Amino acid sequence: MAAEVVMPKLGMAMKEGTVSTWNKKVGDSVSKGDMIASINSEKIEMEIEAPQDGVILDILVQEDVGVPPGTIICYVGNPNEQLTEQNRSANELQAPKNEVAATISLEEPPANAASSKKSKETVRISPIARKIAESENIDIETIKGTGPKGRITKADVEKVLAERAAEASHPPAERDNPAINKETLPVAGMRKVIASRMHNSLLNSAQLTINMRADVTDLLSLQQEIKEVTQQRHKVKISLTDFIARACVLSLQEHKQMNSAYIDNEIHLYNHVHLGMAVALENGLVVPVMQHAEKMSLVELAAEIKTRAGDARQGQLSTDRMQGSTFTITNLGTYGVEYFTPVLNPPETGILGVGATEDVPMYQGDELQRRSLLPLSLTFDHRVLDGAPAANFLGTIKQYLEQPILLLL
Amino acid sequence: MKPLVVIGGGPAGYVAAITAARQGKQVTLIEQKDLGGTCLNEGCMPTKSLLASAEAYEKIKQAEQFGITLPLEQVKINWDGVQHHKTAIVKKLVQGIGYLMRKNSIKVMKGEASFLTNHRLAVRNENQVEEVEAEQFIIAAGSEPASLPFAPFDGKWIIHSGQAMSLPAIPSSLLIVGGGVIGCEFASIYSQMGAKVTIVEAADQLLPGEDADIAFTLQEELEKKGVAIYTSALLTEMQPENKKALFKHKEELHELQAEYALISIGRKPRVLGLGLEQVGVHFSKQGIDVNEHMQTNVPNIYACGDVVGGIQLAHVAFHEGTVAALHACGKDKSVNYRAVPRCIYTHPEIASVGMTEKQARSEYGDIRVGEFSFTANGKAMIANNPVGKVKVIVEPQFNEIIGLSIVGAHATELIGQGTIMLHGELTTDVMEDFIAAHPTLSEAIHEALLQSTGQAVHS
Ligand SMILES: Cc1cc2nc3c(=O)[nH]c(=O)nc-3n(C[C@H](O)[C@H](O)[C@H](O)COP(=O)(O)OP(=O)(O)OC[C@H]3O[C@@H](n4cnc5c(N)ncnc54)[C@H](O)[C@@H]3O)c2cc1C
């Protein structure tokens, strides 16, 4: 029997997934567990494995076409197996919204495809939607309906118009010019989410960044001291990032205004700290959230960060684990960056950027010593608080990092 | 662990519970008071029962017009009877919800619920506390009357809507602060029953969300019944000791004495005491934040009905409750606010759907407006009720029907036609050939539509 491979649902909020790459094509043979495709949801990338040995009988969803979870994306079966009409129509039953995506991607449309195609007369569409579509010369068969039973509504037509307008305002002049040989990449999946979130973040808030350096010499030696113990006792190696995270959590509890969100002209202050940590992936960025970080000890926090970051890198982070953060930390130190301007993760009020530590000669009293300095960049929303309280908050983080013993308590 | 727990047994909560149970979930519903919530116990149903009594009385007083002779001086309101009619209906309806709970195998727990973790609730009933665990939660805790900062409810003189419907007797005089839906409904009830009613409203018209001319028709009718109405008037002081209120109107300070002062300045979502902070559910005093599936930022917790703010109406609560429950059961369901009717059960009634004329003008510029008055409608004349009008608003380019407002008898039933037009995104050409039965009040809607396209027959 041919096995159906479906677009998985990665978390409650997932509405659409895209096949970013097909590793196989129709006719290729596969063994159970082989990677057959990479998929891309609004938040994460994931590999899809072959469910059984066999060949790829049919591919129903092309690359970069978004489909709802549950949609069949391909069939794996015996080399000479025939797919029945029943097989094919299963998708329509399961995910009616997928009709468009599924039909365009059928490599060889079944013989009766033409007759099963909806005629313009039978397309479900509201009177006003039909009129607007006609006046704008939009083929109603190409519109995706979101009304009851897939009925096309006014909003659906307006969406198509808005997309058209957006395309028109950025004419792809260069792309069409063969003289300039440029590669263009579709902005889809995770890239699309990041693009719109970051752009909206800058559009919709008043961001300001301040910088400070913390002397982490003592912290680094403390880290060396306790590294072995925690590794043996708790199976976690405590990194500089973990100390910074803990310092942040403690400081956020002392400066509630920074642990907040600006929503609908109101400032929401939180008692809990759901700490977001930006994790770079090969082709994007996700922010796993350590929920209730204020209830965790340093070791617990470190363990949680390791698990979540690991999940993120393996594409196993459910969307539920990427929501609800109240403050975010982003670290570019490993890339040698010193200071930078982090962009707020909306609707949060603050984001801390961590740079690379640098060893410098510094006077301690009259004596010149080798000290390690950590550059910190805090971006905050000036609508929520002003420079002075933000500086105080950053100052508190600095204090904790400079008196690291407090982080262990 | 119980799969799904609903907090609150009002319209949002009981519909959510039934929907989830029908999807095969094991459901528990927690309610601290009576099933049916505000709507059944101190909102929609009891007010409409009082209005029905007031209207019956009004109709009987018109007997002469219909050729019926009565000893009119003997016709009077028996307040205990009015209250009995109301309580009997409420009781029956509440029992009906109880029956639906049993029929759908929903466990009903009595008590006040608050979150301990995002999977556990404490349910307090008198001095006992029980803990309930569940995978998913739907918060439908409703709303409560907002009070004036300088005049908290005392239940004796300063009262809220819940208290206003169970007064010991018809008050001789009543001050209503706030001329919104609830204030106008009570003004209608008590003025028809003989009370001297005064409305003090801060905005420059009654029912600030509705079309000015529609609201003005109601104002005129209320004034005919002796209601004193002050718009653009600001309450400045309340003196419970001598039952006196001071308010400023057109630069002039007025002093008013009344037996009761009903504060109806809006309702606030019941967001406190649920332990939302405990689990990190985002909320503000405007309500709990939700997405289009009625899901909060904590994915296993949903919220619906008055507690999310927005449009605080029972039918919206029904819809949101259904969406929350279906989405919690894995169905991809979103809310649809495409056409929400707004009904005001005053005398005359007001009902509308979609945009008001003012909103439409600011959105579309030049619009078409069609109107038809009930004074020219046969059925309204026969019923001795030729007051009010239908007003339809049409967008100029494609003739989409984008708003319908009705003031007049049975407006709240007639609006169903407008709701269908807006929900179906209909255009006037689709409606031109529509046949309205004759004689009916519905003819007025058809005539108004035709007038908007310049084809009216009867005006
Ligand atoms: C006077 C008046 C007239 C109205 N007339 C109309 C009308 O004609 N038409 C219309 O559409 N709407 C009307 N409304 C509005 C309508 O009543 C509300 O929109 C509707 O009741 C909202 O339903 P809900 O389920 O969200 O909340 P509610 O009906 O308020 O129900 C919430 C329930 O939750 C319970 N609860 C709260 N917190 C807890 C807790 N922690 N634990 C356990 N239980 C809890 C409460 O006891 C309550 O029973 C009227 C309202 C008023 C006040």
Side-chain angles (χ1 to χ4, degrees):
Chain A
M1 253 295 275
E4 299 165 347
V5 180
V6 298
M7 176 64 65
K9 189 165 176 84
L10 313 162
M12 293 286 279
M14 171 166 166
K15 286 205 198 63
E16 208 175 76
T18 313
V19 176
S20 41
T21 342
W22 278 110
N23 301 335
K24 304 282 173 194
K25 50 185 196 306
V26 176
D28 282 1
S29 55
V30 291
S31 312
K32 185 174 177 196
D34 279 358
M35 297 300 180
I36 54 176
S38 308
I39 61 140
N40 209 331
S41 81
E42 292 96 331
K43 305 244 175 175
I44 28 185
E45 285 252 0
M46 208 182 110
E47 304 289 341
I48 298 246
E49 298 176 358
Q52 61 182 38
D53 294 349
V55 299
I56 306 281
L57 290 175
D58 200 356
I59 286 180
L60 291 93
V61 174
Q62 287 184 335
E63 286 177 4
D64 296 327
V65 175
V67 294
T71 307
I72 302 171
I73 58 172
C74 78
Y75 288 105
V76 176
N78 295 327
N80 34 23
E81 196 171 334
Q82 287 293 312
L83 284 178
T84 59
E85 263 323 293
Q86 208 174 356
N87 273 141
R88 293 181 185 279
S89 59
N91 239 21
E92 257 173 61
L93 291 177
Q94 282 186 352
K97 283 191 203 137
N98 183 42
E99 278 169 36
V100 181
T103 31
I104 41 176
S105 61
L106 273 178
E107 297 203 331
E108 273 177 75
N112 62 352
S115 62
S116 68
K117 208 171 160 195
K118 290 181 291 182
S119 80
K120 280 198 172 56
E121 283 310 305
T122 57
V123 170
R124 287 171 188 273
I125 180 168
S126 82
I128 183 65
R130 185 186 290 274
K131 281 193 167 182
I132 300 176
E134 277 168 11
S135 83
E136 298 285 341
N137 279 325
I138 303 175
D139 180 357
I140 56 174
E141 285 179 66
T142 62
I143 309 173
K144 188 167 161 186
T146 60
K149 300 220 162 73
R151 185 179 196 239
I152 299 166
T153 64
K154 188 180 173 189
D156 299 331
V157 183
E158 284 173 344
K159 195 169 151 227
V160 175
L161 282 174
E163 283 166 4
R164 266 195 191 177
E167 275 170 28
S169 66
H170 304 286
E174 290 189 349
R175 192 177 4 165
D176 293 342
N177 182 351
I180 308 169
N181 200 357
K182 265 192 186 170
E183 196 185 356
T184 49
L185 296 173
V187 177
M190 182 160 31
R191 193 74 259 144
K192 194 162 153 189
V193 175
I194 297 174
S196 85
R197 277 182 70 92
M198 291 299 102
H199 188 220
N200 286 337
S201 171
L202 288 171
L203 280 182
N204 297 328
S205 59
Q207 308 198 3
L208 179 66
T209 306
I210 55 173
N211 301 308
M212 246 182 226
R213 291 200 290 187
D215 182 342
V216 291
T217 322
D218 298 344
L219 176 69
L220 292 175
S221 51
L222 177 74
Q223 185 200 358
Q224 287 303 325
E225 264 175 59
I226 64 170
K227 207 160 80 181
E228 290 302 311
V229 191
T230 53
Q231 170 70 348
Q232 273 176 8
R233 268 218 210 144
H234 306 285
K235 304 270 172 292
V236 269
K237 219 190 265 171
I238 306 239
S239 68
L240 178 60
T241 312
D242 302 329
F243 280 106
I244 299 170
R246 173 82 176 143
C248 246
V249 173
L250 293 175
S251 309
L252 285 168
Q253 285 181 295
E254 288 171 35
H255 301 265
K256 289 256 157 63
Q257 254 187 311
M258 193 59 79
N259 191 40
S260 66
Y262 190 97
I263 303 169
D264 290 342
N265 296 321
E266 271 186 314
I267 297 167
H268 296 235
L269 302 180
Y270 301 112
N271 286 324
H272 60 272
V273 179
H274 289 353
L275 189 67
M277 296 281 269
V279 173
L281 306 178
E282 216 173 276
N283 48 359
L285 175 79
V286 284
V287 184
V289 178
M290 308 332 123
Q291 286 174 351
H292 288 292
E294 81 282 4
K295 294 194 180 141
M296 298 179 194
S297 66
L298 176 65
V299 174
E300 286 166 342
L301 184 58
E304 177 78 4
I305 293 174
K306 299 260 147 22
T307 321
R308 296 293 156 232
D311 288 352
R313 293 202 181 93
Q314 285 161 21
Q316 283 171 355
L317 200 65
S318 72
T319 40
D320 318 341
R321 284 288 182 181
M322 291 184 249
Q323 289 169 346
S325 55
T326 59
F327 185 89
T328 298
I329 300 180
T330 172
N331 190 338
L332 289 180
T334 42
Y335 302 91
V337 170
E338 203 183 346
Y339 290 110
F340 60 106
T341 316
V343 176
L344 286 178
N345 184 16
E348 290 165 23
T349 295
I351 180 166
L352 181 74
V354 180
T357 41
E358 194 189 0
D359 287 354
V360 294
M362 240 175 95
Y363 279 105
Q364 295 289 101
D366 283 341
E367 197 189 333
L368 205 54
Q369 280 187 10
R370 180 195 182 99
R371 306 293 293 178
S372 303
L373 297 185
L374 176 75
L376 298 170
S377 312
L378 172 75
T379 298
F380 63 96
D381 191 338
H382 211 328
R383 294 175 305 170
V384 177
L385 75 175
D386 306 322
N392 285 339
F393 167 74
L394 193 53
T396 307
I397 296 185
K398 176 179 149 94
Q399 261 174 25
Y400 274 117
L401 296 174
E402 292 181 350
Q403 297 170 38
I405 200 76
L406 297 176
L407 299 174
L408 298 180
L409 303 179
Chain B
M1 189 148 82
K2 291 265 175 297
L4 190 131
V5 165
V6 178
I7 303 172
Y14 77 72
V15 167
I18 294 171
T19 310
R22 291 200 176 149
Q23 292 289 319
K25 286 254 178 189
Q26 192 189 345
V27 181
T28 301
L29 183 140
I30 305 170
E31 169 58 60
Q32 59 190 4
K33 290 196 211 147
D34 293 317
L35 289 176
T38 307
C39 172
L40 257 53
N41 298 290
E42 41 190 45
C44 329
M45 303 319 284
T47 44
K48 264 87 266 180
S49 168
L50 295 182
L51 275 157
S53 292
E55 255 157 47
Y57 178 58
E58 191 79 16
K59 203 87 207 166
I60 292 165
K61 285 199 294 186
Q62 296 171 9
E64 212 57 61
Q65 239 96 28
F66 292 95
I68 299 166
T69 310
L70 279 179
L72 272 185
E73 59 293 347
Q74 285 177 32
V75 175
K76 56 178 182 296
I77 297 178
N78 164 9
W79 184 243
D80 288 343
V82 171
Q83 288 289 325
H84 179 262
H85 179 58
K86 183 193 80 177
T87 348
I89 288 169
V90 168
K91 198 169 151 204
K92 222 183 230 167
L93 290 167
V94 170
Q95 280 171 351
I97 309 285
Y99 163 76
L100 287 175
M101 295 296 109
R102 287 192 298 280
K103 188 174 147 203
N104 289 286
S105 311
I106 295 161
K107 182 180 167 197
V108 178
M109 264 178 91
K110 190 159 174 108
E112 186 189 352
S114 63
F115 283 98
L116 297 170
T117 70
N118 67 341
H119 282 115
R120 206 145 40 91
L121 289 177
V123 182
R124 242 164 289 262
N125 188 6
E126 284 164 10
N127 294 325
Q128 284 183 322
V129 182
E130 203 178 319
E131 292 195 2
V132 177
E133 288 206 352
E135 276 165 28
Q136 291 174 308
F137 298 87
I138 298 181
I139 307 172
S143 62
E144 56 200 19
S147 61
L148 281 169
F150 56 90
F153 299 117
D154 60 15
K156 295 191 195 99
W157 182 58
I158 301 179
I159 57 175
H160 55 67
S161 56
Q163 293 158 336
M165 57 187 79
S166 309
L167 296 177
I170 299 171
S172 58
S173 56
L174 175 67
L175 163 66
I176 298 179
V177 180
V181 177
I182 294 177
C184 286
E185 287 188 3
F186 276 103
S188 232
I189 296 172
Y190 284 119
S191 66
Q192 288 182 89
M193 290 186 176
K196 172 78 192 116
V197 177
T198 305
I199 301 179
V200 174
E201 163 62 52
D204 59 3
Q205 68 170 70
L206 291 183
L207 307 170
E210 300 298 333
D211 257 327
D213 54 342
I214 298 279
F216 192 68
T217 308
L218 172 66
Q219 172 157 354
E220 281 178 327
E221 289 303 307
L222 287 175
E223 280 170 346
K224 275 187 206 158
K225 296 197 186 78
V227 179
I229 298 171
Y230 297 88
T231 51
S232 310
L234 208 65
L235 195 74
T236 54
E237 202 181 317
M238 298 287 273
Q239 301 174 351
E241 327 72 70
N242 38 21
K243 301 194 168 185
K244 219 188 255 172
L246 301 183
F247 63 94
K248 223 174 157 178
H249 178 243
K250 296 194 178 147
E251 301 303 310
E252 224 177 282
L253 202 61
H254 292 250
E255 205 183 88
L256 187 95
Q257 222 170 9
E259 198 179 340
Y260 293 99
L262 165 63
I263 310 293
S264 50
I265 52 168
R267 296 179 62 82
K268 51 176 196 211
R270 220 180 258 125
V271 286
L272 299 179
L274 287 163
L276 298 178
E277 311 80 358
Q278 196 71 21
V279 284
V281 167
H282 293 172
F283 69 96
S284 70
K285 58 181 193 303
Q286 268 89 45
I288 298 178
D289 298 347
V290 287
N291 62 16
E292 75 270 30
H293 310 298
M294 308 313 292
Q295 192 177 26
T296 69
N297 59 309
V298 179
N300 69 322
I301 303 180
Y302 289 76
C304 51
D306 282 8
V307 78
V308 302
I311 315 173
Q312 294 180 321
L313 288 172
H315 42 274
V316 174
F318 288 147
H319 178 65
E320 293 177 345
T322 311
V323 169
L326 286 177
H327 194 262
C329 294
K331 297 269 180 313
D332 186 14
K333 188 87 183 163
S334 310
V335 282
N336 165 15
Y337 299 117
R338 200 172 286 152
V340 178
R342 311 181 291 272
C343 295
I344 304 152
Y345 297 79
T346 39
H347 187 85
E349 293 185 348
I350 290 181
S352 54
V353 61
M355 291 192 196
T356 62
E357 185 175 339
K358 200 166 154 193
Q359 287 166 342
R361 279 198 197 287
S362 76
E363 170 112 13
Y364 290 94
D366 247 351
I367 46 166
R368 290 166 203 257
V369 180
E371 280 197 8
F372 193 82
S373 164
F374 285 117
T375 47
N377 175 282
K379 187 81 182 285
M381 281 188 233
I382 292 167
N384 196 31
N385 230 339
V387 171
K389 66 176 172 189
V390 175
K391 179 165 168 179
V392 53
I393 296 167
V394 176
E395 155 278 320
Q397 193 183 358
F398 300 107
N399 289 336
E400 182 189 4
I401 302 157
I402 53 172
L404 191 80
S405 296
I406 307 173
V407 52
H410 304 290
T412 58
E413 295 293 340
L414 291 172
I415 199 63
Q417 301 183 24
T419 310
I420 291 172
M421 291 176 206
L422 268 88
H423 185 89
E425 302 187 338
L426 303 189
T427 48
T428 48
D429 50 322
V430 177
M431 295 304 296
E432 268 164 19
D433 299 338
F434 151 90
I435 299 177
H438 177 76
T440 55
L441 299 173
S442 302
E443 287 175 287
I445 297 180
H446 192 212
E447 287 286 344
L449 272 164
L450 291 179
Q451 208 216 16
S452 75
T453 58
Q455 303 174 52
V457 178
H458 292 93
S459 63

